[in-house]
Amino acid sequence: MKQYTNELTPSVLALFKEPFSAEQLSGADEEQRQIFKSHAEEMKDRSLVAIWRFATAGSLTRNGGKIEKASASDSFTLEDGSEVNRAMVGDYVVYPDGTRARIINGSGSANTNGSGVSFALVGSQLDNGDVIVSTPQDCALLCQPGNSPAMPADFLAPVAL
């Protein structure tokens, strides 16, 4: 399964500058097109400082762990057409020897589910000191544009579970 990191690749940078496809624009109503146009204009002269991809089932850790079951109710469609659920803080990573570790930080208040639980990210830490390093999805991420406010204090900050 192909994996993606938080690297600022040329394709990520291009998408930041032109986030809406011709297909999306043609399918949008006039109000949506104006919102898209306004967003593109706002981003035109801004740089992209960092990204954090959402972790999902199939995400990998530095020490060989894998998220086998992700508990969020939403999912992403991968390039091969399969779907994977988004992982949450509190979900587990499983290692080849059968041990497990819990995800202890994530998006914080920058992005939560309806119950206030944050989503796991590439870069989220585990309670055993490991870290999520890649995800199989390439379509959803959080961005930190230049000249924008810093992420909230609870972003990637450990939480008590």
Side-chain angles (χ1 to χ4, degrees):
M1 182 180 302
K2 188 169 182 178
Q3 295 282 315
Y4 299 89
T5 67
N6 290 339
E7 182 182 358
L8 290 175
T9 62
S11 62
V12 168
L13 294 169
L15 186 61
F16 178 73
K17 294 295 184 182
E18 293 290 331
F20 308 106
S21 68
E23 183 178 293
Q24 288 172 310
L25 291 171
S26 69
D29 64 30
E30 185 57 35
E31 182 180 351
Q32 289 171 320
R33 277 193 294 278
Q34 288 302 318
I35 292 169
F36 292 168
K37 183 179 177 182
S38 173
H39 176 76
E41 186 64 30
E42 179 184 331
M43 294 297 124
K44 180 177 69 172
D45 296 323
R46 295 181 85 180
S47 61
L48 185 57
V49 176
I51 64 165
W52 297 270
R53 292 184 188 277
F54 289 102
T56 64
S59 291
L60 303 176
T61 73
R62 177 183 59 216
N63 296 335
K66 182 178 182 179
I67 299 174
E68 291 185 350
K69 183 176 182 199
S71 65
S73 59
D74 61 334
S75 63
F76 302 112
T77 302
L78 303 182
E79 290 175 357
D80 67 3
S82 63
E83 294 204 4
V84 290
N85 280 42
R86 189 170 6 182
M88 308 290 299
V89 169
D91 286 349
Y92 287 91
V93 166
V94 179
Y95 294 87
D97 66 2
T99 59
R100 298 179 346 147
R102 203 166 194 189
I103 301 168
I104 60 168
N105 67 13
S107 57
S109 56
N111 197 269
T112 63
N113 70 0
S115 302
V117 178
S118 68
F119 295 103
L121 303 168
V122 171
S124 288
Q125 296 173 322
L126 308 177
D127 63 4
N128 67 354
D130 201 359
V131 64
I132 299 170
V133 295
S134 65
T135 181
Q137 67 83 19
D138 72 336
C139 60
L141 48 87
L142 295 176
C143 294
Q144 178 71 47
N147 301 324
S148 65
M151 290 296 191
D154 63 352
F155 186 79
L156 291 175
V159 297
L161 298 171

